[in-house]
């Protein structure tokens, strides 16, 4: 198809649909005298949204920055809290926990990352946890938060948010409509295609209305109404690596004090999330139906709630994997229609953001070409596979002996790229940063070591200081890292002050 794109139609009004609408409207503009791309979003109130997806990672701040969103208003309207980390409990071995923080431990020297010095110290018998050098960890553990503004990057404390997914969608809807995005309520029952089976020309709604466009963004959730039901793109199944296929979600009352981190608690056949919001907790159990019935899942989930449930639990089915092409003909799949990776590392909303950013870079202003489609699909595939591998690592590198679920996962053959990463790190702490990997070295180090994979050796530069110097430097560094802690308010006090209301 070579005609210029004048009208974009987005199918779906969940997080994916409204985030796409907001960013496209802001960056491309909508129909006004000077701007020439119209955006219409179609959503069905009857079908509704998935209603989960409440923990994010720091790049979400870029979305807010591009949209020019005031942080206090955003936190207020979406009942959001601050997220500094995820605490993984019982993942390595039962009773053990570690944090995957958004920060970085210690201070890197040229050519030689901090974990090499720490590894040498450990081998010399110098005591101290790797995480003691990470301000995000120290603040999360202490339930503290305020944005740090130190001149030295050593005190950077990257953060993200937990928010109410329904409120977030509504927030972005108001924003988008103000920019001129047209919302049409209705259920798509069919499409009109060029010459029968070509590009999609229009959505056909239940009542016969038609919504025509040049480019269609499929944000219809796991149904994949356009990318799968209409175009039959096909799906690559990854459930042999990630066997969880269901989630059970239930909200519960908020805790007296809200923690600035997500909890991920491993159980016999899956794991439980706990996401603190201002007005409630989001909870859920991700599990494998091969190892755990729905009744057992309900028992595990409800039995581990720390505050009273506010609703009945509901079950969500999913299949881990990805659409074989994220962009097919004149349809781009964004959100759950493009594939599914379980929310262990809160990456789905990030994948939405990244897909929109990619589409904006490769936007087919003058018409869709095979090159644009090819490049978009290439990047999307690599990015999703890298996140998949990172998630597999959590499951595979477990020390649990208590269930067939964990034993099978420990023994499974992992993707070759991941096997190589684990082998290199185990040997001498080497990590190679892949292009398009959202997870940088500090993330890999934390999860590898948190799950019990420690390097046998370290970089030769870590042998630079004498043992005594190393001991002294590490003690000074730990003190330096912790310096801002005394000044930081509790997370709740911060929210209360920042928002000017009881959190
Ligand atoms: C259990 C679970 C927990 C999760 N937790 C996280 C998390 O913590 N962090 C994270 O980043 N991500 C998380 N995710 C993923 C996250 O929920 C999704 O990526 C996000 O909500 C986007 O969903 P969506 O907009 O693609 O789909 P939906 O929310 O399902 O929206 C689909 C939209 O399409 C519309 N629609 C569908 N069919 C039609 C039709 N025929 N006609 C008209 N309209 C139609 C619906 O009405 C709806 O508006 C989680 C997912 C699951 C399953």
């Amino acid at each position: 198809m070579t005609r210029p794109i004048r009208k974009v139609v987005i199918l779906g009004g969940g997080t994916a649909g409204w985030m796409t609408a907001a960013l496209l409207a802001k960056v491309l503009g909508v129909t006004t005298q000077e701007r020439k791309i119209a955006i219409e979003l179609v959503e069905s109130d009857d079908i509704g949204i998935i209603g989960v997806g409440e923990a994010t990672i720091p790049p979400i701040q870029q979305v807010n920055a591009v949209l020019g969103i005031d942080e206090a208003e955003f936190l207020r309207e979406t009942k959001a809290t601050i997220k500094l980390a995820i605490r993984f409990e019982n993942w390595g071995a039962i009773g053990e926990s570690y944090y995957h923080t958004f920060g970085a431990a210690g201070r890197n020297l040229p050519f030689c990352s901090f974990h090499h010095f720490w590894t040498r110290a450990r081998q010399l018998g110098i005591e101290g946890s790797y995480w003691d050098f990470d301000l995000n960890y120290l603040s999360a553990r202490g339930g503290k938060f305020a944005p740090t503004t130190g001149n030295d990057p050593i005190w950077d404390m990257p953060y993200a948010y937990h928010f109410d997914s329904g409120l977030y969608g509504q927030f972005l809807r108001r924003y988008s409509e103000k920019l001129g995005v047209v919302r049409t309520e209705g259920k798509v029952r069919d499409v009109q295609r060029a010459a029968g089976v070509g590009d999609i020309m229009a959505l056909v709604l239940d009542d016969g209305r038609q919504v025509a466009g040049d480019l269609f963004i499929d944000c219809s959730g796991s149904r994949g109404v356009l990318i799968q039901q209409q175009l039959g793109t096909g799906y690559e199944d990854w459930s042999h690596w990630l066997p969880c296929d269901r989630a059970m979600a239930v909200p519960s009352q908020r805790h007296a004090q809200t923690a600035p981190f997500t909890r991920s608690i491993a159980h016999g056949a899956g794991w439980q999330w706990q996401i603190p919001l201002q007005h409630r907790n989001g909870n859920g159990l991700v599990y494998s139906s091969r190892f755990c019935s729905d009744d057992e899942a309900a028992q595990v989930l409800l039995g581990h709630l720390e505050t009273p449930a506010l609703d009945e639990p509901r079950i969500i089915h999913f299949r881990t994997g990805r659409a074989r092409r994220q962009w097919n003909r004149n349809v781009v799949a964004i959100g759950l229609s493009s594939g599914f990776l379980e929310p262990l590392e809160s990456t789905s909303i990030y994948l939405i953001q990244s897909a929109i950013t990619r589409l904006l870079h490769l936007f087919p202003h003058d018409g869709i070409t095979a090159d644009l489609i090819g490049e978009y699909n290439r990047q999307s595939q690599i990015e999703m596979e890298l996140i998949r591998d990172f998630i597999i690592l959590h499951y595979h590198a477990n020390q649990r002996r208590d269930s067939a679920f964990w034993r099978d996962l420990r023994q499974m053959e992992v993707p070759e790229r991941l096997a190589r990463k684990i082998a290199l790190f185990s040997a001498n702490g080497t990590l190679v940063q892949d292009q398009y990997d959202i997870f940088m070295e500090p993330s890999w180090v934390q999860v590898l070591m948190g799950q019990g994979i420690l390097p046998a050796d370290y970089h030769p530069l870590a042998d630079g200081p004498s043992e005594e110097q190393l001991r002294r430097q590490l003690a000074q560094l730990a003190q330096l890292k912790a310096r801002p802690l005394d000044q930081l308010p509790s997370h709740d006090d911060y929210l209360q002050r920042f928002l000017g209301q009881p959190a």
Side-chain angles (χ1 to χ4, degrees):
M1 168 173 148
T2 50
R3 66 173 189 276
I5 304 300
R6 294 282 174 260
K7 167 110 183 258
V8 176
V9 175
I10 299 168
L11 172 58
T15 299
W18 285 115
M19 210 185 226
T20 306
L23 281 165
L24 257 52
K26 178 73 182 180
V27 179
L28 297 176
V30 289
T31 303
T32 64
Q33 301 249 305
E34 324 81 62
R35 300 161 166 179
K36 298 200 181 62
I37 293 179
I39 301 172
E40 182 166 352
L41 183 147
V42 178
E43 67 173 317
S44 157
D45 287 343
D46 285 349
I47 296 175
I49 61 168
I50 192 159
V52 281
E54 310 204 306
T56 61
I57 56 176
I60 187 83
Q61 301 214 10
Q62 293 161 12
V63 175
N64 288 2
V66 169
L67 296 179
I69 289 173
D70 174 73
E71 191 181 37
E73 184 190 351
F74 165 77
L75 287 165
R76 215 176 280 124
E77 304 245 335
T78 64
K79 303 270 187 222
T81 61
I82 301 295
K83 176 178 170 188
L84 294 169
I86 303 175
R87 186 166 84 194
F88 287 96
E89 302 170 31
N90 302 336
W91 274 87
I94 295 176
E96 289 179 1
S97 68
Y98 71 94
Y99 288 69
H100 171 198
T101 77
F102 299 137
R107 194 201 282 276
N108 290 344
L109 290 182
F111 296 133
C112 189
S113 302
F114 174 72
H115 67 271
H116 293 285
F117 291 93
W118 182 83
T119 301
R120 178 175 169 227
R122 187 179 148 270
Q123 292 183 358
L124 289 169
I126 300 174
E127 302 240 314
S129 148
Y130 176 76
W131 281 264
D132 288 345
F133 301 89
D134 181 338
L135 183 55
N136 272 62
Y137 161 75
L138 297 169
S139 304
R141 194 190 55 179
K144 295 178 160 212
F145 177 75
T148 47
T149 52
N151 297 326
D152 189 328
I154 201 167
W155 291 308
D156 281 353
M157 195 158 60
Y159 64 94
Y161 309 105
H162 306 113
F163 53 57
D164 180 306
S165 65
L167 295 177
Y168 183 58
Q170 292 312 306
F171 181 74
L172 292 180
R173 174 181 163 185
R174 287 192 293 279
Y175 180 97
S176 306
E177 287 184 318
K178 267 191 215 147
L179 289 189
V181 173
V182 173
R183 173 185 185 263
T184 297
E185 202 284 321
K187 192 164 167 187
V188 171
R189 77 165 148 79
D190 203 356
V191 297
Q192 259 199 5
R193 293 180 66 174
V197 289
D199 285 349
I200 291 180
M201 307 302 284
L203 306 181
V204 181
L205 308 190
D206 252 355
D207 57 6
R209 276 176 299 162
Q210 297 203 356
V211 180
D214 304 311
L215 178 69
F216 290 81
I217 315 291
D218 186 346
C219 298
S220 65
S222 49
R223 287 174 177 78
V225 173
L226 304 181
I227 197 81
Q228 298 297 0
Q229 292 177 11
Q230 293 297 334
L231 298 187
T233 300
Y235 198 78
E236 194 178 324
D237 191 316
W238 289 337
S239 54
H240 50 295
W241 285 310
L242 293 167
C244 289
D245 56 358
R246 284 186 200 175
M248 189 174 282
V250 68
S252 72
Q253 280 179 18
R254 62 162 275 159
H255 281 92
Q257 290 185 330
T258 49
F261 56 86
T262 309
R263 285 176 70 192
S264 164
I265 308 147
H267 293 298
W271 61 278
Q272 177 190 350
W273 77 80
Q274 188 187 88
I275 296 177
L277 303 175
Q278 289 179 36
H279 57 318
R280 63 166 168 83
N281 281 314
N283 309 276
L285 185 79
V286 172
Y287 58 102
S288 165
S289 61
R290 203 150 48 89
F291 294 88
C292 176
S293 70
D294 294 340
D295 285 346
E296 285 165 333
Q299 270 178 21
V300 172
L301 176 61
L302 297 176
H304 285 87
L305 286 187
E306 292 177 343
T307 52
L310 295 172
D311 209 340
E312 290 298 313
R314 68 191 171 94
I315 297 178
I316 300 165
H317 294 241
F318 54 79
R319 188 153 68 105
T320 297
R322 59 180 278 276
R324 288 199 181 276
R325 275 169 289 168
Q326 325 275 301
W327 185 341
N328 189 1
R329 293 183 176 273
N330 64 337
V331 173
V332 181
I334 296 184
L336 296 174
S337 61
S338 69
F340 185 80
L341 280 170
E342 59 184 80
L344 189 59
E345 285 286 354
S346 319
T347 42
S348 287
I349 296 172
Y350 169 74
L351 280 169
I352 295 170
Q353 166 183 350
S354 167
I356 302 167
T357 311
R358 183 172 306 122
L359 179 61
L360 285 166
H361 279 141
L362 298 169
F363 197 81
H365 291 277
D366 300 321
I368 295 171
T369 65
D371 284 345
L372 289 173
I373 296 181
E375 182 56 22
Y376 184 94
N377 286 333
R378 187 185 74 82
Q379 292 181 19
S380 308
Q381 178 176 350
I382 300 173
E383 178 180 61
M384 208 165 167
E385 285 177 356
L386 287 164
I387 294 177
R388 174 201 69 192
D389 289 358
F390 191 56
I391 294 176
I392 294 174
L393 169 66
H394 298 63
Y395 281 105
H396 179 59
N398 79 79
Q399 329 282 323
R400 296 179 59 132
R401 303 271 179 273
D402 57 306
S403 70
F405 175 80
W406 292 105
R407 284 194 297 271
D408 283 7
L409 286 161
R410 199 169 51 250
Q411 280 152 19
M412 77 176 156
E413 199 171 317
V414 299
E416 193 272 331
R417 182 168 33 202
L418 175 61
R420 205 164 4 102
K421 268 199 169 118
I422 295 175
L424 274 176
F425 185 79
S426 309
N428 63 4
T430 296
L431 277 164
V432 179
Q433 185 67 43
D434 286 292
Q435 195 188 7
Y436 304 119
D437 191 352
I438 179 62
F439 293 107
M440 312 291 278
E441 187 178 87
S443 292
W444 282 92
V445 173
Q446 291 181 69
V447 174
L448 282 157
M449 299 213 304
Q451 299 277 150
I453 300 179
L454 297 174
D457 198 358
Y458 50 83
H459 193 287
L461 275 177
D463 272 328
S466 69
E467 181 177 339
E468 192 37 47
Q469 281 170 331
L470 182 64
R471 196 180 290 278
R472 209 173 45 244
Q473 284 165 1
L474 288 179
Q476 282 168 352
L477 194 52
Q479 262 185 2
L480 191 66
K481 272 279 179 176
R483 193 182 289 165
L485 270 187
D486 287 346
Q487 318 297 324
L488 294 181
S490 79
H491 173 227
D492 281 331
D493 282 352
Y494 170 76
L495 285 180
Q496 196 168 342
R497 250 183 271 159
F498 188 56
L499 304 183
Q501 64 185 33

